[in-house]
């Protein structure tokens, strides 16, 4: 259904960008809850009841985030009549890069032989994909760029502690990519944007690296993902729900005027609670967490692409994307889907 948004603040938010293509990739290896029962003291019933997750995809030992990202971009190129050789910027959102440098974005440039483009990796954890979309729209608005690849990819299994029963049940690997283009008529499909960070809560979900401290707080120096699930859940229900509501308000929209709600797929209980607090029905939520688990920066494009493939997400639909996670950072956009 195609509708003109009744956006009171439309003049305050400018966009000349549209998403022209989407692609995704998931590793072949499936880890079920029964597999996790062999590793830690847990059960399928316990995991499903608390998270909604039944299985997740796990990358092969010698398969890294770059491999997932390349395959997602290749999937995009194979499904849509688009060219990549004139892409002039690549943004990859990831918390699990193969190397600190060079970037995965630089590897994509090399792999696809894109002659003239900038390339950066960004790190906004589970808000990375939506933050990447915000950056892409801003770069296109400058007029200096016309076609940008935005990729969300993570191999969280590489930094998951499979002796920690509270975290190892959550995470999986995957990648999603979109091609964002400057529109010829200057009328973009990005309808609203929101970003907020509470850095004081950064200690509640982290993976340590060079330092063993965040401010005055000591870290577990393992390099593995550490999460205080209770604090993250509390933050999501309060600050993230407020963020979603502010995003709707900035667009002059009520929840029922949005066709689809695509939150970060962290936990099915969080998705349900956000729907209740923000006025969405659970049928409006795009969730793939039961099949893929929490895939961080990849979770939103994976859920969206599932909806594209089964026909739920169609041209003209309004979709609210909201990522949230480590930082503690959140970033959201409302799009008019035009593929």
């Amino acid at each position: 259904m195609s509708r003109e948004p009744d956006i009171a603040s439309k003049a305050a938010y400018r966009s000349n960008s549209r998403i022209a293509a989407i692609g995704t990739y998931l590793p072949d290896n499936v880890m079920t809850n029964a597999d996790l029962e062999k590793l830690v003291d847990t059960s399928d019933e316990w995991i499903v009841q608390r998270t909604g997750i039944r299985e997740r995809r796990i990358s092969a030992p010698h398969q890294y985030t770059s491999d997932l990202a390349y395959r997602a971009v290749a999937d995009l190129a194979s499904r849509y009549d688009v060219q990549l050789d004139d892409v002039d910027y690549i943004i990859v959102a990831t918390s699990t890069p193969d190397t600190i440098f060079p970037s995965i974005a630089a590897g994509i440039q090399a792999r696809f032989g894109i002659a003239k483009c900038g390339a950066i990796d960004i790190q906004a954890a589970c808000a990375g994909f939506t933050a990447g979309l915000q950056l892409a729209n801003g770069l296109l608005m400058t007029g200096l760029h016309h076609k940008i690849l935005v990729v969300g990819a993570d191999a969280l299994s590489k930094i998951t502690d499979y002796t920690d029963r509270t975290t190892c049940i959550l995470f999986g690997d995957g990648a999603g990519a979109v091609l964002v283009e400057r529109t010829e008529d200057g009328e973009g499909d990005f309808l609203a944007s929101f970003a907020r960070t509470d850095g004081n809560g950064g200690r509640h979900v982290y993976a340590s690296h060079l330092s063993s401290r965040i401010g005055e707080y000591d870290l577990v120096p393992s390099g593995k993902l550490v999460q205080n699930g209770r604090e993250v859940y509390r933050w999501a229900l309060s600050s993230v729900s407020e963020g979603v509501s502010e995003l709707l308000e900035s667009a002059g929209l009520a929840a029922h005027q949005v066709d689809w709600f695509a939150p970060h797929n962290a936990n099915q209980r969080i998705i349900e609670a956000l729907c209740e607090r923000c006025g969405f029905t659970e049928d409006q939520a795009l969730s793939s967490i039961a099949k893929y688990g929490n895939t961080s920066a990849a979770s939103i494009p994976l859920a969206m692409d599932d909806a594209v493939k089964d026909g739920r997400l169609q041209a003209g639909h309004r979709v609210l994307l909201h990522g949230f996670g480590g930082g503690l950072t959140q970033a959201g956009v409302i799009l008019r889907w035009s593929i």
Side-chain angles (χ1 to χ4, degrees):
M1 68 193 84
S2 180
R3 303 179 299 190
E4 268 304 308
D6 47 343
I7 298 176
S9 60
K10 188 174 182 180
Y13 186 80
R14 300 175 60 214
S15 171
N16 62 354
S17 312
R18 64 179 291 268
I19 292 179
I22 185 170
T24 52
Y25 175 73
L26 291 152
D28 293 333
N29 183 33
V30 176
M31 177 180 280
T32 66
N33 292 344
D35 295 325
L36 284 167
E37 289 175 359
K38 302 171 185 176
L39 300 177
V40 292
D41 180 17
T42 192
S43 69
D44 175 70
E45 181 183 8
W46 190 89
I47 295 171
V48 172
Q49 185 179 65
R50 286 161 177 77
T51 71
I53 300 170
R54 296 185 180 277
E55 58 187 41
R56 65 288 290 147
R57 301 298 183 91
I58 304 298
S59 53
H62 299 294
Q63 187 179 44
Y64 295 94
T65 302
S66 63
D67 301 303
L68 311 184
Y70 300 154
R71 296 286 291 270
V73 174
D75 180 59
L76 176 154
S78 70
R79 291 165 52 191
Y80 295 89
D81 184 20
V82 295
Q83 289 184 304
L84 299 184
D85 56 3
D86 59 345
V87 164
D88 50 21
Y89 220 94
I90 302 169
I91 300 170
V92 175
T94 186
S95 300
T96 54
D98 305 20
T99 53
I100 297 174
F101 50 81
S103 67
I104 291 176
I108 291 174
Q109 179 275 326
R111 179 70 67 93
F112 290 92
I114 303 170
K116 298 178 181 180
C117 77
I120 59 169
D121 285 2
I122 64 170
Q123 205 287 80
C126 305
F129 179 73
T130 40
L133 290 178
Q134 292 172 339
L135 292 173
N137 182 58
L139 289 169
L140 293 169
M141 283 298 301
T142 68
L144 298 177
H145 302 279
H146 76 284
K147 189 181 286 189
I148 299 176
L149 273 172
V150 178
V151 182
D154 271 303
L156 291 177
S157 67
K158 307 295 187 190
I159 61 169
T160 294
D161 179 359
Y162 284 100
T163 67
D164 179 0
R165 68 190 293 266
T166 65
T167 60
C168 72
I169 63 173
L170 298 172
F171 299 108
D173 304 339
V178 294
L179 182 64
V180 188
E181 296 181 340
R182 192 170 70 214
T183 58
E184 296 300 325
D185 59 11
E187 184 71 17
D189 290 342
F190 285 63
L191 307 179
S193 180
F194 173 89
R196 181 173 295 168
T197 297
D198 177 10
N200 290 323
R203 68 186 186 276
H204 296 315
V205 53
Y206 66 86
S208 61
H209 183 47
L210 298 179
S211 175
S212 61
R213 297 175 68 82
I214 294 178
E216 63 187 51
Y217 297 96
D218 292 327
L219 306 180
V220 177
S222 63
K224 299 295 186 181
L225 196 156
V226 177
Q227 177 171 272
N228 183 330
R230 181 173 298 178
E231 289 297 330
V232 173
Y233 184 82
R234 182 180 295 128
W235 170 73
L237 263 59
S238 58
S239 294
V240 175
S241 62
E242 289 176 4
V244 173
S245 296
E246 285 190 36
L247 180 57
L248 285 166
E249 184 178 355
S250 71
L253 294 170
H256 73 271
Q257 294 174 296
V258 173
D259 295 286
W260 301 107
F261 175 42
H264 165 51
N265 282 202
N267 180 311
Q268 187 61 33
R269 290 172 63 192
I270 291 178
I271 294 171
E272 292 169 358
L274 288 175
C275 285
E276 181 178 356
R277 291 193 174 211
C278 300
F280 296 103
T281 66
E282 290 185 24
D283 288 341
Q284 285 175 280
L286 298 181
S287 172
S288 59
I289 194 164
K291 297 185 294 181
Y292 310 141
N294 180 340
T295 54
S296 191
S299 76
I300 289 176
L302 286 172
M304 290 174 64
D305 201 27
D306 274 2
V308 169
K309 290 175 178 176
D310 67 22
R312 284 175 293 159
L313 179 54
Q314 299 183 5
H317 284 182
R318 295 178 187 148
V319 55
L320 189 156
L321 287 58
H322 205 91
F324 54 91
L328 297 168
T329 293
Q330 53 180 310
V333 295
I334 298 177
L335 301 172
R336 180 194 300 109
W337 192 253
S338 59
I339 296 178

